[in-house]
């Protein structure tokens, strides 16, 4: 999904001659951490609530704080994951979308990103979750898929993440079945380390 598809353009923009007081009021009204600043159709950056609160006088124009503008932005053609990274990198719940001419064409809110991530990750789909831990050299999508599919199940989402403490690869698999006992047994038979599972376990002796 591209960033442009998530553009709701609901967040107001500031002009350089708008006052700090006006900016703080808009931030409070729209419950955002930052607002975009635009001059003559050109996007200048984001101004944060924190920097506005640090201003010496609420009557000051926003342009007096231009050294504090945050250069966060994405293009409409960027993947929405890039917007998630920008939001995380700059700790902002507003991500501006600009075009080739550096014009502001819209914004994406953190709430929209969260909702899209939920869909993207398959969090709304029914099923069970199995988490495997392995060496990076052991990771094989084809083998993991074969093990799951041999038990009449389908992988609907797969994600990998390196453990921050041990450097091992954590592979999170979402499967279209909640009953996981047979699949877990298969992974263990192939010497995979199952460290978590979320679903139903109905082992029979």
């Amino acid at each position: 999904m591209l960033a442009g598809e998530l553009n709701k353009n609901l967040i107001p923009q500031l002009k350089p001659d708008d006052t700090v007081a006006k900016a703080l009021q808009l931030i409070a009204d729209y419950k955002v951490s930052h607002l975009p600043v635009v001059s003559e159709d050109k996007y200048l950056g984001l101004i944060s609530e924190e920097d506005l609160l640090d201003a010496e006088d609420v009557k000051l124009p926003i342009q007096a704080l231009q050294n504090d503008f945050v250069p966060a932005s994405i293009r409409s053609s960027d993947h929405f994951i890039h917007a998630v990274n920008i939001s995380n990198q700059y700790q902002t719940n507003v991500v501006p979308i600009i075009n080739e001419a550096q014009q502001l064409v819209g914004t994406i809110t953190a709430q929209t990103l969260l909702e899209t991530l939920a869909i993207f990750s398959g969090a709304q789909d029914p099923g069970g979750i199995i988490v495997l831990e392995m060496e990076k050299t052991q990771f094989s999508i084809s083998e993991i898929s074969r093990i799951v599919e041999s038990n009449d199940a389908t992988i609907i989402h797969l994600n990998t993440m390196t453990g921050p403490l041990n450097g091992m690869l954590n592979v999170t698999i979402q499967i279209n079945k909640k009953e996981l006992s047979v699949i877990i047994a298969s992974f263990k038979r192939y010497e995979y380390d199952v460290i978590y599972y979320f679903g139903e376990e109905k082992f029979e002796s």
Side-chain angles (χ1 to χ4, degrees), residues 20 23 44 55 58 64 71 86 88 90 102 112 126 147 163 166-167 170 181:
V20 169
L44 302 180
V58 295
I86 291 294
N88 184 58
Y90 292 101
Q102 298 296 309
T112 298
I147 292 171
N166 59 12
N170 287 347
S181 58

Side-chain angles (χ1 to χ4, degrees), residues 19-30:
T19 64
V20 169
K22 177 180 178 179
L24 285 171
Q25 185 60 57
L26 287 172
I27 278 179
D29 291 344
Y30 285 83

Side-chain angles (χ1 to χ4, degrees), residues 160-181:
T160 62
M161 182 177 67
T162 302
L165 298 179
N166 59 12
M168 297 285 281
L169 190 68
N170 287 347
V171 181
T172 302
I173 311 163
Q174 185 171 1
I175 299 167
N176 66 337
K177 289 185 176 182
K178 286 187 177 181
E179 205 289 296
L180 303 176
S181 58

Side-chain angles (χ1 to χ4, degrees), residues 178-181 184 188 197 199-203:
K178 286 187 177 181
E179 205 289 296
L180 303 176
S181 58
I184 291 172
K188 290 182 176 180
Y197 65 86
E200 297 176 359
E201 185 179 25
K202 298 178 180 177
F203 286 109

Side-chain angles (χ1 to χ4, degrees), residues 40-90:
E40 297 179 353
D41 294 330
K42 298 292 184 181
Y43 171 68
L44 302 180
L46 291 174
I47 186 67
S48 72
E49 180 181 25
E50 182 178 354
D51 289 326
L52 290 167
L53 291 171
D54 287 341
E56 298 176 357
D57 188 345
V58 295
K59 295 181 181 178
L60 281 174
I62 297 300
Q63 61 190 1
L65 306 177
Q66 60 183 340
N67 290 337
D68 297 317
F69 290 175
V70 178
S73 67
I74 57 170
R75 301 291 175 90
S76 294
S77 57
D78 288 339
H79 194 273
F80 92 93
I81 288 295
H82 183 48
V84 175
N85 291 334
I86 291 294
S87 176
N88 184 58
Q89 178 184 349
Y90 292 101

Side-chain angles (χ1 to χ4, degrees), residues 92-105:
T92 175
N93 57 10
V94 174
V95 180
I97 304 174
I98 61 173
N99 60 19
E100 297 292 336
Q102 298 296 309
Q103 295 172 320
L104 184 71
V105 296

